[in-house]
Amino acid sequence: MRTLISSAFISLDGVVDSPGGEPGYRNSGWTFKDVEFLPEAFEIKIREQKESAAILLGRTSYEAFSQVWPDMPDFADYKVMPKYVVSTTLGEDDLVSNWGETTILRSLDEVAALKETEGGPIIVHGSASLNQGLSDAGLIDRYHLVVFPLLLGAGKRLFSTTDKDTQKLKLVEHEAYANGLQKQVFDVIR
């Protein structure tokens, strides 16, 4: 079984909305505004590219990332990885041609089937709604969180508000940085 890893830049109050400057959100770009850049705080992002075997995205994140990541040297390892997009509306004609193999999955059941295949870890970037569904369905195995010392209030959140049984997590890696960021890596306990 493949490991499904949710990777997120997240505010202290759980917001993951528009960290890189995507339009339409009041606090868009919050990851680089008012927070000193320290390369060591983002080491996990480099490691994720080296350790992942595939990327899983929701439609909205795919549409945003596929416009910029294919040509960015910082994301070169992702260009050659298989990509999976969970969407009920995206069509084959909507996929970009310069970002490698991309498969559209139509349901969380298809994600569960993907996890049963051979191969290395699958990384989920962005994709707030998808993350909520994956978490609620018990499909996420690990969380890679870079927590920013910010309270953003409104915005898309990583975790749903669904009334469900407790999901237990085990902190397996953590570090605090001089700029206030924290790396928190949790395994989901089953």
Side-chain angles (χ1 to χ4, degrees):
M1 177 180 271
R2 300 174 81 169
T3 302
L4 186 60
I5 302 167
S6 171
S7 175
F9 291 143
I10 187 168
S11 68
L12 193 58
D13 57 349
V15 174
V16 294
D17 203 340
S18 307
E22 300 80 357
Y25 175 59
R26 176 183 180 173
N27 293 313
S28 183
W30 50 271
T31 58
F32 54 85
K33 291 180 185 174
D34 303 320
V35 178
E36 177 190 0
F37 178 77
L38 293 177
E40 60 270 23
F42 299 94
E43 172 276 332
I44 193 166
K45 296 299 172 189
I46 296 165
R47 188 171 14 133
E48 287 171 349
Q49 285 189 71
K50 302 296 182 201
E51 295 175 354
S52 299
I55 305 171
L56 179 68
L57 300 165
R59 179 193 51 82
T60 302
S61 291
Y62 173 79
E63 289 174 342
F65 296 161
S66 68
Q67 300 306 307
V68 292
W69 280 18
D71 298 320
M72 290 180 71
D74 289 347
F75 300 108
D77 291 328
Y78 285 143
K79 188 169 185 169
V80 297
M81 275 183 212
K83 281 157 277 305
Y84 299 90
V85 183
V86 181
S87 174
T88 58
T89 59
L90 200 66
E92 294 292 329
D93 292 344
D94 298 318
L95 300 176
V96 298
S97 61
N98 64 335
W99 205 23
E101 175 191 344
T102 304
T103 303
I104 300 171
L105 304 177
R106 298 294 182 196
S107 68
L108 293 181
D109 288 339
E110 290 186 33
V111 174
L114 174 64
K115 283 188 63 175
E116 296 293 329
T117 63
E118 294 293 320
I122 303 165
I123 191 91
V124 182
H125 284 287
S127 309
S129 297
L130 176 60
N131 263 290
Q132 291 177 6
L134 293 168
S135 178
D136 289 349
L139 294 174
I140 295 176
D141 301 298
R142 175 173 275 196
Y143 291 94
H144 288 184
L145 305 178
V146 177
V147 183
F148 285 71
L150 304 168
L151 300 175
L152 298 175
K156 295 177 187 173
R157 303 203 179 272
L158 184 62
F159 302 104
S160 77
T161 58
T162 301
D163 185 12
K164 61 183 177 188
D165 291 338
T166 301
Q167 285 184 323
K168 295 180 182 174
L169 306 176
K170 178 182 179 185
L171 183 65
V172 295
E173 184 180 340
H174 64 91
E175 193 160 350
Y177 302 96
N179 61 358
L181 270 62
Q182 295 178 37
K183 171 180 60 182
Q184 299 178 358
V185 178
F186 292 96
D187 281 344
V188 177
I189 305 299
R190 297 205 179 357

